[in-house]
C-alpha cells in the first residue's frame, strides 16, 4: 500500500522500520492545527490502522513547540460555515486517535496547548523534552475541556492538579507531567527525537495481535469490575496461546533451546 500524500502541505510522513512517523510541519505557527491538517492526520491514522506494514505511529512537531492547539482563525471560520468548528476540524481526529488500536508514541517539545495536550491522553508512550509545557486553556477561550480530558486528567493527576490545568489554566511542566504519569520519560531536547523513535521501533517490532489486545485490555480495564476483568483476560490469554502468533513465537523459543 502506498502512503497517502498529505494535502495540507503542513504534514510530513515517512515509514521506516515499520514505524509511520508523522511530523506537524507548521513551525512558523507553532504547529497550530488547521482543518486541512486534521484531515491529513485522520487519513494517515486510518491508513496506519489498515496497513500490515505499519506496527506503530510516531507523532512529532517541527520547530520549537510541539503543537499550539487549534488554529483559531481556521477554527472560527469552520464554525461559521458549519455551526460547529469542532466537528469540522478536531473532532474526527480526536475520535480517530482515541480509537487507534496500534501503539502510538508522541514526542513533545516546547508548548503543547489544548488538543496538543489532550491528544497525549490517548497515546501509549509520551516522551517530553525538558522544556515541554502542557497547557489546557479551554475555559479561558469560553469553551470546555475535550477529548475526554475532564475524566482522564483528574483520574491521572488528581482533581486539584487537574483543576489547576483545566479551570485555572496553569501550565504543567515536563517534570510535573512525568511525576504525575502524563509522560513516560523526560529527556534533553537534543535527545527527544531519538528517544521517542526508539520506543516506537521497539513497539512496532512486537507481536501485532498481542500488542493490540493488550492495549485494548488496558483501555477497557477502568470500565470493568475487577472479577469481570480477571475472567475476561484469563479467557483471552488462553485464546491467544492457541493462536498462530503465540504458537510461532513459542516454537521459535523452544527451537533455540
Amino acid at each position: 500500500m502506498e502512503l497517502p500524500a498529505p494535502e495540507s502541505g503542513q504534514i510530513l510522513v515517512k515509514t521506516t522500520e515499520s514505524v509511520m512517523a508523522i511530523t506537524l510541519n507548521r513551525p512558523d505557527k507553532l504547529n497550530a492545527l488547521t482543518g486541512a491538517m486534521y484531515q491529513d492526520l485522520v487519513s494517515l491514522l486510518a491508513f496506519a490502522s489498515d496497513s500490515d506494514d505499519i506496527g506503530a505511529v510516531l507523532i512529532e512537531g517541527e520547530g520549537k513547540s510541539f503543537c499550539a492547539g487549534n488554529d483559531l482563525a481556521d477554527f472560527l471560520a469552520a464554525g461559521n460555515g458549519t455551526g460547529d468548528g469542532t466537528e469540522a476540524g478536531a473532532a474526527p481526529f480526536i475520535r480517530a486517535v482515541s480509537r487507534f488500536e496500534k501503539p502510538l508514541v508522541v514526542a513533545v517539545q516546547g508548548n503543547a496547548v489544548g488538543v496538543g495536550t489532550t491528544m497525549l491522553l490517548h497515546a501509549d508512550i509520551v516522551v517530553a523534552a525538558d522544556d515541554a509545557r502542557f497547557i489546557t486553556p479551554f475555559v479561558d477561550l469560553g469553551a470546555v475541556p475535550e477529548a475526554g480530558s475532564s475524566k482522564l486528567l483528574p483520574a491521572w493527576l488528581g482533581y486539584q492538579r487537574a483543576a489547576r490545568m483545566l479551570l485555572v489554566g496553569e501550565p504543567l511542566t515536563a517534570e510535573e507531567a512525568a511525576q504525575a504519569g502524563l509522560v513516560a520519560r523526560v529527556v534533553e531536547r537534543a535527545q527527544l527525537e531519538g528517544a521517542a523513535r526508539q520506543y516506537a521501533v521497539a513497539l512496532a517490532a512486537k507481536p501485532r495481535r498481542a500488542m493490540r489486545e493488550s492495549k485494548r485490555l488496558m483501555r477497557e480495564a477502568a470500565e470493568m469490575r475487577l472479577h469481570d476483568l480477571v475472567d475476561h483476560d484469563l479467557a483471552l490469554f488462553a485464546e491467544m496461546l492457541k493462536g498462530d502468533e503465540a504458537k510461532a513465537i513459542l516454537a521459535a523459543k523452544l527451537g533455540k533451546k
Side-chain angles (χ1 to χ4, degrees):
M1 296 174 67
E2 185 176 348
L3 278 173
E7 298 182 3
S8 67
Q10 295 166 329
I11 300 286
L12 303 177
V13 59
K14 64 179 180 180
T15 299
T16 54
E17 299 179 283
S18 297
V19 174
M20 174 188 277
I22 300 172
T23 303
L24 310 180
N25 190 36
R26 199 185 180 206
D28 57 319
K29 298 295 184 181
L30 303 180
N31 297 318
L33 294 167
T34 65
M37 292 171 73
Y38 277 126
Q39 290 176 16
D40 284 340
L41 290 169
V42 170
S43 296
L44 290 170
L45 288 176
F47 180 90
S49 182
D50 293 338
S51 173
D52 292 336
D53 295 329
I54 296 172
V57 168
L58 169 63
I59 299 179
E60 306 168 300
E62 183 65 33
K64 67 180 183 180
S65 281
F66 169 63
C67 177
N70 287 301
D71 181 288
L72 295 183
D74 186 85
F75 188 73
L76 287 173
N80 289 335
T82 68
D84 190 337
T86 304
E87 283 297 333
F93 168 68
I94 290 170
R95 291 191 179 101
V97 79
S98 68
R99 292 166 170 78
F100 190 63
E101 293 187 339
K102 293 183 178 180
L104 176 62
V105 178
V106 185
V108 180
Q109 79 280 7
N111 288 346
V113 182
V115 69
T117 285
T118 59
M119 75 168 78
L120 308 179
L121 302 175
H122 304 285
D124 299 294
I125 296 290
V126 180
V127 182
D130 50 16
D131 66 345
R133 298 200 318 158
F134 306 87
I135 310 166
T136 51
F138 300 110
V139 171
D140 292 339
L141 296 173
V144 296
E146 36 81 321
S149 56
S150 59
K151 174 181 181 178
L152 295 174
L153 277 176
W156 290 11
L157 310 183
Y159 185 88
Q160 291 296 322
R161 184 173 285 181
R164 285 168 50 200
M165 289 188 70
L166 296 175
L167 304 183
V168 181
E170 289 184 9
L172 195 70
T173 67
E175 288 299 333
E176 289 173 329
Q179 292 169 8
L182 181 61
V183 306
R185 185 179 172 193
V186 177
V187 299
E188 294 180 3
R189 179 69 172 269
Q191 299 174 339
L192 178 64
E193 182 178 356
R197 179 162 187 82
Q198 186 175 20
Y199 276 115
V201 170
L203 291 168
K206 292 184 182 295
R208 299 288 174 82
R209 189 185 174 204
M211 177 63 68
R212 184 175 66 250
E213 296 295 347
S214 296
K215 178 170 177 174
R216 182 180 291 123
L217 278 174
M218 291 176 69
R219 290 185 172 192
E220 294 176 351
E223 307 301 325
M224 299 177 68
R225 293 183 301 176
L226 181 57
H227 66 268
D228 291 334
L229 176 61
V230 169
D231 290 342
H232 177 62
D233 64 30
L234 284 174
L236 183 58
F237 185 90
E239 177 193 335
M240 294 286 292
L241 286 181
K242 297 176 183 177
D244 293 340
E245 187 176 77
K247 285 181 179 179
I249 293 170
L250 293 172
K253 288 184 177 297
L254 287 172
K256 288 180 180 179
K257 292 182 179 180

